[in-house]
Amino acid sequence: MKHVCYSLIAASLLPASFALASDTTYPVNLTNCGVEISVASPPEQTVTVGQLATEILYSLGLADRVVGTSVWFNPVLPQFTDVNEQIERIANDDPSFEAVVNKRPDLVAVQYEWHVGPTGSVASQDQFHELGIATYIMPADCDTKDNSTGGDGTRTAAFSTESIYKGITELAEIYDVQDAGKALVTDLNAREEHAINLASSLDLPEDLSAVFWFSSTDLGVSPFVAGQLGAPGYMMDKLGIRNVIESDEEWPTVGWESIAKADPDVIVIAAMDRRRFPADDIEAKREFLHNDPVTSEMTAVRNNRIVEMDAHAMSATMRSIYGLESLAEALSTMSFN
């Protein structure tokens, strides 16, 4: 049965011409990140491994089906603060296989293939499937991406929000909330178009350039910066910005001397709650940029063109569209004379 509370919200988002989706026919059979999966009935107990999966399920009105969450970078979206507090957070970072299984889920929804994949750090899909637990990995982390290269993987083609919409649509089918899925995709698509139109209306330099700094294992060492084909690359492409980092890796490490030589017009820095590395702290990032003898001479630093963005938006997630919005809005306040 579909969730009435969300159906009311979803209906308010639908244009007059929007056609309602049909009910799901079970079993649902999908090819998910190269693995055939089958879901016999709407999942009643779900554990999420990754914030993207968590927030999509909440956005689909399925919070009452989530019995545990894990892998968080930022606070949950504000509209879900209250409901999220009622759901157990199994781990802030990687949960153990036992912790997930102990929640007795009938489905595990996953953001990153390296958590639950062929050699997952939590477990492989096979380990869950042997226990009769279905898995679903968000397509944004495996479509157009090779995760067998290690680390954060390598994009084989540019990230597109179509992979986000695909994940929303497939999860909506799995849980039999297809109307809610269509409404969510419609809303996100409209926000994406609005941000692109805002940037197009600005008098931005034709050669505007940027770099996205996620974190560093230590301040002063080569930072993890965004490659050409991930979510930040998508944002820059849509807004007409050149990425000074030319790698196809998701998050290559590049020396500050090389970045300073490229001298980007804008620096986008990740804000997160995680504190695995010293540079996870956004204030530490700012202090380093303004005080290091190399970075302090960069054009973006001298002109205070530093943009803060949720770390989660810099991954291939639903929040990438919110990141696109925030970057477009930040550009509208800047002068490039």
Side-chain angles (χ1 to χ4, degrees):
M1 181 176 180
K2 294 186 174 142
H3 289 250
V4 176
C5 61
Y6 189 81
S7 296
L8 294 173
I9 300 171
S12 69
L13 296 172
L14 296 175
S17 60
F18 193 96
L20 295 179
S22 59
D23 292 345
T24 296
T25 300
Y26 292 95
V28 176
N29 299 306
L30 298 169
T31 302
N32 175 237
C33 291
V35 175
E36 299 298 322
I37 65 169
S38 181
V39 181
S41 60
E44 294 295 331
Q45 297 206 141
T46 302
V47 170
T48 56
V49 182
Q51 191 169 347
L52 169 61
T54 307
E55 292 184 336
I56 286 179
L57 292 180
Y58 290 174
S59 298
L60 292 174
L62 296 167
D64 62 341
R65 311 283 188 93
V66 180
V67 296
T69 70
S70 58
V71 188
W72 290 84
F73 284 98
N74 294 104
V76 72
L77 290 168
Q79 63 267 37
F80 302 123
T81 298
D82 291 342
V83 70
N84 189 61
E85 289 177 352
Q86 307 305 312
I87 297 171
E88 181 182 352
R89 183 173 295 195
I90 298 173
N92 288 324
D93 297 313
D94 300 9
S96 68
F97 177 59
E98 292 75 15
V100 175
V101 170
N102 284 344
K103 298 302 293 182
R104 301 186 181 278
D106 42 22
L107 185 139
V108 178
V110 183
Q111 177 172 340
Y112 297 115
E113 191 176 21
W114 67 273
H115 280 136
V116 178
T119 57
S121 63
V122 176
S124 67
Q125 293 117 308
D126 287 345
Q127 286 175 274
F128 284 112
H129 297 170
E130 287 169 1
L131 296 177
I133 301 171
T135 59
Y136 182 83
I137 303 170
M138 300 308 301
D141 194 57
C142 53
D143 287 6
T144 72
K145 189 168 177 231
D146 180 4
N147 289 313
S148 67
T149 60
D152 293 302
T154 301
R155 289 279 169 188
T156 57
F159 160 76
S160 165
T161 50
E162 288 305 313
S163 64
I164 299 297
Y165 301 150
K166 175 183 175 182
I168 293 170
T169 301
E170 290 185 341
L171 282 173
E173 181 183 8
I174 287 171
Y175 287 88
D176 195 19
V177 290
Q178 296 191 65
D179 295 342
K182 278 199 169 188
L184 180 57
V185 169
T186 297
D187 178 56
L188 292 172
N189 199 292
R191 297 180 70 160
E192 186 177 11
E193 291 183 8
H194 175 74
I196 294 169
N197 290 336
L198 172 59
S200 297
S201 71
L202 303 175
D203 186 22
L204 299 175
E206 291 185 4
D207 61 345
L208 186 66
S209 62
V211 66
F212 278 60
W213 177 18
F214 189 83
S215 190
S216 311
T217 56
D218 204 351
L219 290 165
V221 304
S222 297
F224 296 108
V225 288
Q228 294 274 349
L229 302 178
Y234 144 80
M235 294 181 213
M236 287 183 270
D237 178 67
K238 292 297 184 183
L239 301 183
I241 303 170
R242 176 176 59 86
N243 187 355
V244 301
I245 306 301
E246 297 181 353
S247 172
D248 288 347
E249 290 182 45
E250 192 87 340
W251 292 101
T253 54
V254 179
W256 281 114
E257 293 79 6
S258 298
I259 297 171
K261 185 176 180 180
D263 201 22
D265 298 301
V266 177
I267 299 174
V268 185
I269 57 177
M272 67 187 84
D273 286 354
R274 189 191 77 173
R275 290 295 182 268
R276 182 178 296 175
F277 304 129
D280 287 350
D281 185 341
I282 198 164
E283 292 307 320
K285 286 188 180 79
R286 282 192 173 276
E287 184 176 349
F288 172 78
L289 288 172
H290 285 288
N291 292 291
D292 181 80
V294 173
T295 59
S296 62
E297 293 301 314
M298 295 168 65
T299 298
V301 178
R302 287 190 287 105
N303 289 280
N304 199 30
R305 292 200 288 263
I306 300 172
V307 179
E308 294 185 11
M309 182 179 291
D310 282 354
H312 198 47
M314 291 190 185
S315 294
T317 67
M318 183 171 67
R319 287 203 191 190
S320 299
I321 296 166
Y322 306 157
L324 184 75
E325 288 180 309
S326 65
L327 182 54
E329 290 164 1
L331 291 173
S332 71
T333 68
M334 293 179 182
S335 171
F336 295 95
N337 294 329

